[in-house]
Every structure is written in structure tokens, then in C-alpha cells.
Amino acid sequence: MSAEAADRVAAVGSSRPSTPLQTSWFEFLLDGSLLEKHLQKSNPDPLPVQLIIQFLEQASKPSVNEQNQVQPPADNRRNRTLKLLALKVAAHMKWDLEVLEKGLTIPVLNMLLNELLCVSKVPPGVKHVDLDLSTLPPTTAMAVIIYNRWAIRTIVLSSFPEKQTKPGPHQMNIVLEGALRLKKDFYVHTLRTLDLLAADGAANGETESSTAGLRISTDELHCQVHYDLGGIFFQQGCTDQPAFVKASDHFRQTKELLKKLDLTVHVHLDEERLAGYWNACRALTGNCDPSDSQTSPYDKINSLVRAHNYQAVIEAFIKDNTTRSLPNHFRRSVLREETGLDEICHKLCVCNAVRDAVEGEVLSVRFQQLLLKPSKRMVDFILEVCTRSLEKERPCETSRRNMANFLKTLCEGLEELPLVFVVSSHKLFMELLREEERKVLVEQMRKRSATINLSAKPLPSFYDIPASASVNIGQLEQQLILSLEPRRIRQILFELHGIAERPYWRVNSKWEVPSDYINVILSIKDNLTKDLVYILMAKGLHCISIKDFVHARLLFSACLELVTEFSPKLRQVMLNEILLLEVRAHETMAAEGSKERPPSDLVSRVRGYLEMRIHDLPLRQVVGEECVAFMLNWRENDYLTLQVPPSLVMNNPYIKLGQLLASTCKELPGPKESRRTAKELWDVVVQICSVSIQHKRNSEGRVGLIKHRESSMGILHRYTKPPSPDDIVNEVTAEHLSIWPSSLPNIQAVDVEAVAVTVKELVSFALTLNPNNQSWLVTQADIYFVTNQYSAALNLYLQAGAVCSDFFTKTVPPDVYTDQVLKRMIKCCSMMNCHTQVAVLCQFLREVDYMTAFKALQEQNSHDAMDSFYDYIWDVTILEYLTRILSMIKAIGQTELNTSNPEEVLQLAAQKRKKGFLQAMAKLYF
């Protein structure tokens, strides 16, 4: 008996109740009817996509011959059956690429679709572009179409728009355009047709018939193909402007076909993304009429910009501060592309800043620059925009609080007291801040001291809906959904159960409780009590998710009181959830600016939870995680490093990780002393991010495509993302690198994808807490750089320089703009065809890179304003080169650049031009 079979028998023989055993892949080989039964289950385990992975993984395992040599996977009945099973699962999913792409990696899906091509009898050795789809059997033609659709979708979803090395249409485009010329219904393989193929593998048999397979109408397939072609042409548009016109035409036909189709069973596309594509195409091609009632807000703004009607754009932005129909990224792009008068740019910047403020977002660097030297006219405009942005009849309390914080920030950012008094005497300021707060703030502005913390007001309570015995079930259920008052909820349920006995916890599909608790709650015998516990918990969890902690406390307290009467287990569950509520409430206050430490009682309860050991109690993983995070956030390092019981560290991986983090942070001031603890932390994180390959390497040293992560400390949540560069760990700089080991003994075992995603998410979150941390900004920039997102990387490199030089009014420290950072900024500009900027930045290096500068100045296709940057060149050698190619006698004739000048004069001239250039770049990219 195999080890796996023994484990299964042992599990079955155990007297302890357990969850149903997961069906193993080999069982589907033994029982031909099992797959269809498994797929018909409401919650099959394993899931269909997991089955595909398992089948293809087993079918692609290399074999070993008698000489112990690794051989390619054998072409035997077992492997052919496994591949066929994978195809049958995909057929059950109706070949929905949207679902398959989310559940399978690119190599696995490629393997699956290649098998589809094989079983569909696509002629081998013939390029798809050379096939005449109209002469192929229906299922064969459909296999070609599905494969080429997937190829195009993968290119669109997995790549960043960049200059094509070989211009021209992709072969996939041609295949799919050929599919659009076919005016007949299409058919795709089903479980039945695949069974027929298995019965007679030598011929396509019945599958060649026009009636075999799953029928897909012409309009359905054309709709999907138009959408996919639109995506690839849109991507090509960044280097081939006419491609935007083609993309627009395909998206237009997609929209028309969607309207025409009554049912879109076989059309799987993102309609929000389609709307975004459509709006972008209309803006890029200029194909929109502002007077058209169907014109989107995007189109109207773009039309106003093209007409240079900037005052109307400003008015539209102010109105949008209340309607919020334009996304922030679109508003920022309008400002970024605006090259008109400074006053227009400043006003657009103000409109965007107020929008950010109302939504509680971080204010942009550009707006902070604007506050360095504002005029009274500009301050008056800021106050006007603030007032008009709250002109709705009853603005919500959150918006009012955010606006009050913005006005405080405005006061704190103004250097001149007269301008501070302009703000503090304004009607809106008087309305949003209480008299005492105003006085304190103005006095503090006089003294230029620290800011105050305003206590957040609770969200307005919901009003109960009165009920009476005469209302019908529908009305009572509506009241049950809306009510947040525990006594009212209990009364409504009592009335409902008096009318009809049914499970009312199912009334609202959005009521959800954690899966860990489902069995315990649903095992409650009394139906009324069961409904009440479930609904109180679900509503409480919803209130926590929207940060309505007042109602959450009421609901959880009522639920605790109820379950205490009959279930010690549920009582402890509710105590744990109330603890999580208090932890999140306190962390939310901290995120909003409160500096108040958590009460000692809360810290003690967190410790108690971490040390709790109650047998057979359902525990949510998130509670343990957030308790450890809470202790770390409030620097309870002594507890984590000295007081936590050793047995707890050994048995609880979250405690272990928290202890290592606390120890490393605690010992950071002494680099040598901290390295031992840092090494332990490093080893744990490497273990978390490690993968193990189930199958051996073949003779070429390659490993299989499908990986299984195994870690006893499986703390890190796994993500499915596009592949990241192999050397991202080495290419991204960060603080405290000296305390970590300089190499990895087995880097092949590290899941670089997981590391990349984790670092990116971690740095992004850190910057929301401290957006002016120059080291984190450089790290985030490096991440964008190594993933080829050059515009975003350059933006962040500039931000890093701006925050440490008072927005480039001082010299950027050399430890911020190192040669590596400068070289990456140079490459960013080069990749965006901003070659004059490349030449200027080459001067910033400790040793001027003349070769790169000269090559950049020779480029004819430069996308930056070339002439406007020549004034920032101070290196005489580069200037002499410019005079030869552009006859720039005036630039080299500047007296302060004369090489006979003292070194101090030359340095001052260089610093002046450096600051001016960086300020111009910030204005361009922020």
C-alpha cells in the first residue's frame, strides 16, 4: 500500500469526526464516471482549475529509464487519459478564458490549449495564419480561435506598452480577423465529444459534424473576438497611432453586439473595462461630440481641453468634487498634460488637491510645492473650491471631517500669518471647526508648533423602521435587513417566526460570517436563536468593515449576552471577535492621526488571546495575525522578546515571526549585535517564500512548470500575478541592507513572484503612513523600474529627491541620488524617448557619461521639449558638442560657464542648473 493510500485509510479509520476527504487525482483514472459526478457538485473539492493543474502535472512528469536517465514524459495510455481529463474539466467550464486565466498560470494554460489543438486535429506543422478556418471542421476551427484569443489576451494582460522590436500585426490578429469573416455558428468540444474522441482516437468522427459540440452563435463569438482584437490594437496604439482607430472600431462593434444579444451565455468580458477602453479610444481619436447627450464625462473634458477652454475644465473639476464621476487618475492626467499658463495649472492642481482631501487621500507633492509661495488670490481660490466642494444639501460627516483636516493642513502649510488668518476667518473654517479648536489652532500657528488631534465624530446612526403585526413577511424582511438595533432585530425575527418557520439568516445574501464559525452556529437547535446569532454577527462584521464601530459594539455585545446563556464555545468566539473589533477600532484611530496609546486593559486582552489554549475552539487566523501586528505596532517589544512563554513561540508561527521582527527592530541601532537575530528573521522569511518542486530536474537542468509551496510557517498569503524579473531582490535597494545575509544558498527555491508582490504591497502601504520617506520612495521607484514601469519609477525618484531638498530648493543629498539612482532615471527617460532629459541627467553622475549624453543628443525622435532643457546643460564638453550639431553658440558663451572661472563659480553654476532642471522635471512628472 502506498504512503498516500495508507494516510487515507488511517484518516477514514479515525473515530474523530473530520471534514470530507478531498478526492485524489488518481481516483478519476480508476472510475470513468467519477469526473462528471464531481463537477456537478455545488462545492467540488478539489476545484475544477485545481484538477486541471493536477492532471497536467501528473501527465507531464518525466520518467527515468533503466540507466537512471531522465526521459521526457511517456506517451502512454495513462498520460493521454490524464490530458483528456484536463480537457474535459475545461469543457465543463465552457472554455471560459476569463476563469481559466485566473486559476491557471500561463505555462499550464498554454499546455492545456496545446492539448486542445492536438485532439481537435489541427494540422501539425502548419502556421495558424496559413489555415483557412472556413474549410476546417467546426470544433477544429474553434480550437484555433480559442488558442489565438488566449495568446492575444495574454499579451495584453501580461505586458507593459513599449516600442515593438518588429512593427506589424501579430499573427494572432490575422487569425481572429479571419474568424470575423465567417458568418456561421461555431461549435466547441464538450465532455461528450471528448469522450467520442477517446473512443476512436484515430478520427474526429462525430465531432466533425456541424451539430456536435456546444453551439456558440456567430454574434456571440464575434462579440468576444472584437473585444480581444480591440485590446491588442489599443496596446499597439502607443507606438502606432492609427491602431487606436482600429481598436475603437472593434470596441464599437463589441458594444453593438452586446446590445443585440438577449443572452450572453458564451460572452465573457469585463464591461467596465470595455467602457474604459471605449472612452479612451474616443479621447485618443477625437471621435466625440460635447453636445451629444451620450457623451461621457471623459469625452466632455477632453473636448474642452482640445478647445483650450480651460476655465470650463476648472468648473467641471469643481463640480466633479461633489459628484466624483471622474477617477482621480484621469484628473491627474489632465493636469500632467496641461502645458498652458501657470495659473491654469495651479487652479487644476487645487481642484485635484481638494478632491483628494475630501476623500481622505494624501495630498500631492505638486500641491505642497504650490503652498511654498502662495498668493492671497490663490488662497482665496482654494477656499472657494473647498466651499463649492461641500455644496451638497447634507454632506456626510466623513467629508466634513476630511475637509476640516484639510483646512488645518492648509493653515499649517502657510508661512505668512496674514494668509493663515484669511483661512481661519473664512465662513467654512468657522463652520467645520469648533470655536475652541479654532482658537487653539490659530495660537499654535502663531507659535508655529505641533498640530492638534481632533477626535473623530461617530458616524450617524441608522433610524429604525417601525413594525406592526399587520405588515407582511416581505416588509418585515426589509426591516430586518435595514435595522442595526439588536432589540428591534430580535422583535422582527420573533414576528417572522410567528408567521412562517423558515431560515431567515438567508434573507440577505450579503450576510456573511467566517467559515470557521458556520458549523457551530448552524448546529444551534432553536431556529429563532440560530437566526439571531447569525444575523447579529453578520451585521456586526459588516459594521466593522465600514468602520462603524459604535453599531458593531452594540451588535456584538447583544450576541455575547445571548450565547452566554447556552454555549461556552460561542461565548469565547464572541469574546475573540470583540477583541478584534477593539484592536481594529484603535488602529483606525491611529491611522486617522490619534497618538493615544491603547489602554492597558486592551494590551492585556491581546496577550491573553495569544496565550489562550482552549481545546476544539474555532479560531480565525486573522485574529491571531492582527493581535501580533497590534503588539508590533505599539512596540510591545519587551513582551514579544522577553515575556512571551517559550512554548508559545515554538507552537505559534505568528508569535515566532512577531518575536523575530520585534528583536530585529529592537537591536537595529547596533548593526553587529542585530545580525544574529536578523539572520533568524531572514531564514524564516526565506522559508515562507520558498517553493518545493515535486518532480526532479531533467537532463537539461530544467524543472517542471507547476510548483507546490510547502512551509510549516505558511503565513504569507499567496498571490497569482504576472512573472517578475528574476533579480528583483538584488535590483531593489532598501534601508538596513547591511544587517541581512549577502547571499542565498539556494535562490532557485525562493518564489521570486511572492517576494516581489509582498515587497511592493508592503512599500505601498508604508508610503500611505509616511509619504515623505525618501528611502521608501526610492525602493518603490526601484520596484517600478525593474518591472519596466518607467514613468511611475521616474515620478517616485523625483519625489524622493523633492522631499529631502525642500522641493529642489536645496541640493539633493548624494546618498539619495546615488549613481545607481541617477542611471536608472537616465534609463527611464531614455525608454520614454525623452533624450534631452537623458543628456542633462548624464551631468549629474560623479563621472559625466559623455557617450550616453552624445548618443541621446543625436536622437531625432525625442518626445520632450528639447529646446527648453538646453539651458540646464553646464558641462562645457557637452555644450561644445551641441554647438557642433545645433550651432548653440549662445549657450556656451555664458560667462559663468567659462572654464577659467574658479571652481566655486563653476560649482554654483552647476548647482543652479541642477535645481532648475529638477524643478522643471517635477512640474512635468508630478
Side-chain angles (χ1 to χ4, degrees):
M1 181 183 291
S2 68
E4 184 177 357
D7 288 344
R8 294 171 64 81
V9 170
V12 171
S14 172
S15 60
R16 184 177 177 178
S18 60
T19 55
L21 291 171
Q22 186 184 77
T23 308
S24 187
W25 61 270
F26 63 79
E27 295 180 54
F28 297 98
L29 283 175
L30 303 175
D31 183 353
S33 63
L34 181 59
L35 180 63
E36 199 161 349
K37 294 175 185 175
H38 180 81
L39 295 174
Q40 295 301 326
K41 295 179 182 177
S42 57
N43 293 301
D45 185 19
L47 294 170
V49 288
Q50 293 172 333
L51 277 179
I52 292 175
I53 293 171
Q54 291 176 17
F55 292 149
L56 291 180
E57 179 189 34
Q58 295 299 325
S60 61
K61 274 189 174 182
S63 58
V64 179
N65 62 14
E66 295 177 354
Q67 288 76 37
N68 206 28
Q69 296 174 324
V70 178
Q71 302 293 316
D75 182 18
N76 53 30
R77 181 181 176 185
R78 169 189 177 275
N79 287 348
R80 286 194 297 271
T81 304
L82 284 167
K83 293 174 184 177
L84 188 66
L85 286 171
L87 291 173
K88 291 173 76 172
V89 176
H92 170 77
M93 300 166 71
K94 296 183 172 57
W95 303 100
D96 184 348
L97 289 179
E98 194 86 16
V99 177
L100 291 170
E101 287 163 347
K102 289 178 181 177
L104 303 176
T105 62
I106 291 175
V108 175
L109 188 47
N110 182 42
M111 192 187 310
L112 176 73
L113 295 182
N114 270 298
E115 288 302 321
L116 175 63
L117 294 176
C118 290
V119 301
S120 301
K121 300 297 184 288
V122 174
V126 180
K127 292 182 179 180
H128 290 184
V129 71
D130 296 329
L131 293 172
D132 183 355
L133 296 180
S134 63
T135 64
L136 297 176
T139 51
T140 306
M142 195 62 188
V144 174
I145 293 170
I146 289 175
Y147 184 88
N148 284 273
R149 276 189 55 223
W150 168 73
I152 274 184
R153 291 164 64 91
T154 302
I155 292 170
V156 172
L157 295 174
S158 303
S159 61
F160 187 79
E162 56 185 19
K163 187 174 181 180
Q164 296 178 25
T165 53
K166 294 182 179 179
H170 293 281
Q171 287 191 348
M172 294 82 74
N173 298 21
I174 299 172
V175 173
L176 295 184
E177 286 167 346
L180 293 175
R181 289 192 288 272
L182 299 178
K183 306 300 181 185
K184 61 181 182 180
D185 290 342
F186 296 82
Y187 293 84
V188 66
H189 276 302
T190 62
L191 274 75
R192 176 172 170 270
T193 59
L194 289 170
D195 276 333
L196 290 171
L197 286 177
D200 183 8
N204 219 359
E206 188 183 342
T207 61
E208 291 187 357
S209 166
S210 61
T211 60
L214 177 66
R215 176 182 170 276
I216 298 175
S217 70
T218 306
D219 287 343
E220 284 180 308
L221 184 74
H222 284 188
C223 180
Q224 191 74 66
V225 169
H226 277 302
Y227 176 75
D228 294 334
L229 282 172
I232 194 67
F233 280 121
F234 186 87
Q235 189 200 46
Q236 294 169 2
C238 63
T239 53
D240 179 19
Q241 188 70 22
F244 284 129
V245 179
K246 294 181 181 178
S248 179
D249 183 58
H250 282 294
F251 290 133
R252 176 186 57 77
Q253 294 190 66
T254 304
K255 288 167 66 70
E256 290 174 357
L257 286 168
L258 275 177
K259 291 179 182 177
K260 180 180 176 182
L261 292 166
D262 294 329
L263 293 173
T264 55
V265 178
H266 305 300
V267 177
H268 306 284
L269 54 83
D270 185 338
E271 293 196 38
E272 288 187 5
R273 190 178 181 92
L274 172 61
Y277 272 137
W278 176 244
N279 289 329
C281 286
R282 296 182 74 184
L284 291 165
T285 59
N287 183 24
C288 56
D289 180 3
S291 62
D292 184 359
S293 61
Q294 299 297 317
T295 300
S296 71
Y298 300 90
D299 298 332
K300 292 177 181 177
I301 295 294
N302 284 315
S303 297
L304 293 172
V305 170
R306 281 195 294 273
H308 302 290
N309 189 353
Y310 298 117
Q311 191 56 44
V313 175
I314 292 169
E315 283 297 314
F317 271 33
I318 295 174
K319 290 178 181 177
D320 184 65
N321 281 354
T322 58
T323 61
R324 302 180 194 176
S325 58
L326 295 172
N328 283 328
H329 63 79
F330 174 75
R331 291 171 57 120
R332 293 188 192 110
S333 71
V334 173
L335 173 60
R336 194 161 48 243
E337 295 168 11
E338 175 49 47
T339 56
L341 298 173
D342 282 346
E343 182 182 6
I344 299 297
C345 295
H346 292 166
K347 287 187 174 181
L348 289 173
C349 180
V350 167
C351 293
N352 286 348
V354 174
R355 165 74 177 272
D356 288 338
V358 170
E359 295 183 336
E361 299 291 333
V362 177
L363 298 178
S364 69
V365 173
R366 190 164 185 172
F367 178 72
Q368 295 179 47
Q369 278 185 301
L370 187 60
L371 290 185
L372 289 176
K373 292 183 179 178
S375 63
K376 181 180 181 301
R377 183 177 176 184
M378 183 54 63
V379 172
D380 288 339
F381 180 74
I382 293 173
L383 293 171
E384 177 193 345
V385 175
C386 289
T387 304
R388 293 177 61 187
S389 297
L390 281 181
E391 275 185 351
K392 291 186 294 184
E393 291 182 4
R394 296 179 64 183
C396 72
E397 185 64 28
T398 302
S399 296
R400 288 173 61 86
R401 184 170 65 249
N402 289 339
M403 185 64 79
N405 289 335
F406 174 70
L407 293 176
K408 285 200 309 173
T409 303
L410 181 60
C411 286
E412 293 161 1
L414 295 171
E415 293 290 338
E416 299 180 25
L417 277 179
L419 293 179
V420 173
F421 292 129
V422 169
V423 177
S424 62
S425 61
H426 193 270
K427 178 183 177 183
L428 184 64
F429 186 91
M430 309 284 278
E431 287 179 359
L432 295 179
L433 282 84
R434 296 192 298 271
E435 182 179 2
E436 181 182 347
E437 294 172 334
R438 297 196 301 269
K439 287 180 180 178
V440 172
L441 182 60
V442 172
E443 185 60 30
Q444 287 186 332
M445 289 301 99
R446 289 179 186 275
K447 299 176 181 178
R448 309 306 299 174
S449 60
T451 62
I452 64 169
N453 294 312
L454 298 180
S455 60
K457 297 179 183 178
L459 291 173
S461 61
F462 289 79
Y463 294 99
D464 293 329
I465 299 176
S468 67
S470 61
V471 293
N472 60 31
I473 289 180
Q475 290 173 312
L476 283 170
E477 289 179 344
Q478 182 70 12
Q479 294 173 29
L480 183 64
I481 291 171
L482 294 176
S483 181
L484 288 175
E485 206 281 307
R487 290 182 181 275
R488 183 76 193 106
I489 293 170
R490 187 169 193 162
Q491 178 189 348
I492 294 169
L493 282 171
F494 187 82
E495 293 183 37
L496 283 169
H497 277 272
I499 299 172
E501 193 72 25
R502 64 175 68 166
Y504 291 102
W505 59 272
R506 294 181 178 176
V507 164
N508 187 351
S509 61
K510 294 185 178 180
W511 287 340
E512 294 180 352
V513 302
S515 57
D516 312 77
Y517 305 154
I518 286 286
N519 290 337
V520 182
I521 295 175
L522 296 186
S523 65
I524 298 173
K525 294 181 179 179
D526 180 74
N527 291 331
L528 174 59
T529 306
K530 182 192 304 179
D531 287 343
L532 188 54
V533 171
Y534 188 101
I535 293 170
L536 288 174
M537 183 182 286
K539 284 177 174 282
L541 290 169
H542 172 71
C543 287
I544 293 174
S545 71
I546 61 172
K547 296 183 170 56
D548 181 3
F549 299 110
V550 174
H551 283 106
R553 288 187 182 97
L554 290 173
L555 291 158
F556 276 4
S557 296
C559 192
L560 174 63
E561 181 181 355
L562 175 64
V563 299
T564 299
E565 299 173 2
F566 66 91
S567 174
K569 185 182 293 186
L570 277 174
R571 178 181 181 275
Q572 190 58 54
V573 164
M574 288 313 305
L575 287 173
N576 295 345
E577 289 300 316
I578 290 172
L579 174 61
L580 181 59
L581 182 159
E582 297 300 340
V583 166
R584 287 184 174 173
H586 201 278
E587 297 288 24
T588 300
M589 287 171 56
E592 292 174 352
S594 172
K595 303 297 182 185
E596 183 181 350
R597 283 192 60 81
S600 57
D601 172 65
L602 180 56
V603 176
S604 298
R605 288 162 61 195
V606 169
R607 290 183 181 184
Y609 177 84
L610 293 174
E611 297 174 15
M612 179 178 64
R613 287 293 175 269
I614 300 178
H615 179 67
D616 206 23
L617 178 71
L619 297 174
R620 274 214 292 163
Q621 179 173 306
V622 68
V623 183
E625 291 175 350
E626 294 202 22
C627 282
V628 173
F630 176 87
M631 301 296 276
L632 288 168
N633 284 341
W634 294 102
R635 293 183 173 84
E636 292 289 331
N637 293 338
D638 286 343
Y639 172 78
L640 290 170
T641 57
L642 303 174
Q643 300 171 22
V644 64
S647 61
L648 197 57
V649 177
M650 296 297 295
N651 297 323
N652 190 324
Y654 305 103
I655 292 287
K656 175 65 176 176
L657 182 60
Q659 185 187 65
L660 291 173
L661 283 167
S663 300
T664 304
C665 292
K666 193 175 177 181
E667 297 171 0
L668 266 181
K672 288 186 178 179
E673 293 76 15
S674 67
R675 286 186 181 177
R676 181 182 61 79
T677 306
K679 173 67 165 57
E680 290 183 45
L681 176 60
W682 173 275
D683 291 340
V684 168
V685 174
V686 168
Q687 183 184 1
I688 293 169
C689 297
S690 292
V691 297
S692 69
I693 313 303
Q694 283 197 341
H695 31 285
K696 301 177 182 179
R697 295 173 177 270
N698 60 24
S699 57
E700 297 176 354
R702 298 175 183 164
V703 296
L705 297 170
I706 307 170
K707 301 176 181 178
H708 287 271
R709 301 179 180 90
E710 293 176 352
S711 173
S712 61
M713 295 190 65
I715 299 168
L716 185 67
H717 292 290
R718 308 304 182 182
Y719 298 84
T720 302
K721 294 280 184 179
S724 302
D726 291 339
D727 296 326
I728 189 168
V729 176
N730 295 326
E731 293 187 28
V732 176
T733 57
E735 287 180 295
H736 310 302
L737 286 179
S738 61
I739 71 171
W740 309 116
S742 57
S743 62
L744 279 172
N746 187 15
I747 195 169
Q748 292 82 5
V750 175
D751 188 340
V752 179
E753 173 190 331
V755 175
V757 172
T758 305
V759 171
K760 185 176 180 181
E761 294 293 331
L762 179 63
V763 177
S764 297
F765 177 74
L767 285 171
T768 65
L769 302 177
N770 184 1
N772 293 332
N773 187 300
Q774 63 203 41
S775 175
W776 297 349
L777 287 166
V778 170
T779 301
Q780 184 77 309
D782 285 348
I783 292 170
Y784 281 119
F785 179 86
V786 299
T787 52
N788 303 330
Q789 300 179 64
Y790 298 111
S791 177
L794 185 57
N795 177 292
L796 286 158
Y797 285 133
L798 289 168
Q799 283 192 51
V803 299
C804 63
S805 62
D806 285 350
F807 305 107
F808 302 119
T809 57
K810 300 175 184 175
T811 303
V812 179
D815 61 340
V816 176
Y817 276 1
T818 61
D819 268 6
Q820 175 174 310
V821 169
L822 291 169
K823 287 176 181 177
R824 291 185 172 193
M825 293 171 70
I826 289 169
K827 183 175 179 181
C828 289
C829 294
S830 177
M831 296 303 291
M832 294 187 291
N833 289 335
C834 298
H835 300 297
T836 316
Q837 296 170 18
V838 169
V840 176
L841 282 169
C842 285
Q843 304 172 109
F844 283 62
L845 297 166
R846 283 160 182 75
E847 292 184 12
V848 180
D849 187 351
Y850 292 110
M851 293 298 293
T852 302
F854 294 163
K855 183 179 177 182
L857 292 171
Q858 290 173 356
E859 291 283 346
Q860 299 297 314
N861 183 27
S862 190
H863 291 175
D864 54 12
M866 298 163 63
D867 294 347
S868 66
F869 289 108
Y870 290 146
D871 290 339
Y872 301 115
I873 297 177
W874 66 85
D875 185 273
V876 175
T877 304
I878 296 177
L879 286 171
E880 287 176 347
Y881 183 83
L882 271 176
T883 60
R884 291 201 295 272
I885 63 174
L886 298 175
S887 303
M888 287 192 58
I889 305 299
K890 179 181 176 182
I892 200 171
Q894 299 173 81
T895 56
E896 59 184 340
L897 298 180
N898 191 318
T899 54
S900 301
N901 286 337
E903 183 65 24
E904 305 83 59
V905 175
L906 293 174
Q907 285 294 326
L908 285 173
Q911 290 301 330
K912 174 185 173 184
R913 285 160 176 77
K914 279 186 178 182
K915 294 173 186 175
F917 173 73
L918 290 172
Q919 287 172 348
M921 291 283 280
K923 184 177 178 181
L924 183 62
Y925 289 100
F926 286 174

